[in-house]
Amino acid sequence: ARTRFTNLRHLHHFYRRKMSGAIASTTTSASFFATTTRKVHRSTTSKRGSSPCVVSSSSEEFSPIGEKDDDDVNNNNNNNNVSSSRRAAIVSGFSAVLAVSASTSPAAFAADKDEEKKKKVVAVPYTPYVPQSESSEEMLEVAKQLKDAGARLYGAFWCENCNKQKETLGKEAMEMIEYVECFPDGVYQNAPDGRADVTKPAEFCGPYSESWPMWVLPSPSTPETPEIGVQGKVLKAKELKKLVKEAGGEKVDLVKYFTTLEVK
């Protein structure tokens, strides 16, 4: 009986040692597995942006894929909501682009411009331009020649080149020129005081309203063209002399004209 008790005690100690070793081995394996998994998680997260497990930053615990907690579910729901919002925003933006494209078609754009033009308010009263420059002796002579030739100068008070032509002639020479104002009543459109619209030249400027300033001289030497003229240019003394000669039927030596300062 004593021997049997001793053997049982030895057997008990043997199993205790076995069990202790097994538990220690299991603990070591679990610790190694947890450490390895955390390393894999960190490496994969830093390189690929995804991991085979979810690690808690506070306790360093991990859980395999597929075992999601409430925070993960909430995060996924939030991500789904954000994705849905983005999709809705993209669809809305695309629809807006289509609407803008449809509204900015050539026909719609032209219609909008016409409507805007109709609503535009213009109220520019007629204000004659008075040149400030003094006329040179040459310009006074040219003005006399233009007057004798029956020259007329057509223009508009708001035309910048017309005013430059007047300054080129000078105030004394302009007093001898027959100047025709094509907007003697000003320019008006949708005027606040309700006056009639004036957006076109006067009737007497009808055939002389393509471009200003416009010089027109009778040309008796050419019955097929009773008048000659120059439009849209600011003419100097040399060019005005040439125009007078051409209207009178005189030939101008073009070589001399382009190589000398004046035509005598």
Side-chain angles (χ1 to χ4, degrees), residues 114-227:
D114 291 341
E115 188 66 24
E116 182 181 355
K117 187 175 181 181
K118 290 179 181 178
K119 295 179 180 179
K120 188 176 181 180
V121 176
V122 179
V124 184
Y126 170 65
T127 306
Y129 182 84
V130 179
Q132 302 299 315
S133 62
E134 300 287 340
S135 299
S136 64
E137 292 296 329
E138 181 182 20
M139 274 301 180
L140 290 174
E141 180 185 350
V142 172
K144 291 176 182 179
Q145 295 177 10
L146 290 169
K147 183 178 180 180
D148 294 339
R152 302 186 306 276
L153 175 61
Y154 290 84
F157 70 97
W158 46 261
C159 170
E160 184 178 357
N161 281 340
C162 298
N163 298 335
K164 287 182 179 179
Q165 181 67 85
K166 294 178 182 179
E167 288 292 346
T168 302
L169 289 164
K171 57 184 179 181
E172 293 84 8
M174 273 301 300
E175 293 176 356
M176 293 184 282
I177 300 298
E178 183 183 352
Y179 176 72
V180 182
E181 173 61 50
C182 291
F183 283 87
D185 298 324
V187 183
Y188 293 94
Q189 179 178 332
N190 300 323
D193 57 2
R195 69 175 64 198
D197 289 351
V198 181
T199 58
K200 296 181 180 180
E203 292 184 2
F204 51 79
C205 286
Y208 310 105
S209 58
E210 293 183 3
S211 180
W212 300 301
M214 179 181 291
W215 286 99
V216 178
L217 282 79
S219 180
S221 61
T222 56
E224 65 278 4
T225 54
E227 292 181 333

Side-chain angles (χ1 to χ4, degrees), residues 29-43:
S29 299
S31 176
F32 173 78
F33 177 72
T35 304
T36 304
T37 304
R38 285 195 295 271
K39 289 180 179 179
V40 170
H41 165 73
R42 291 169 182 168
S43 175

Side-chain angles (χ1 to χ4, degrees), residues 12-24:
H12 174 70
H13 287 297
F14 173 77
Y15 277 107
R16 284 188 63 183
R17 287 194 297 271
K18 286 289 187 180
M19 291 300 294
S20 299
I23 293 172

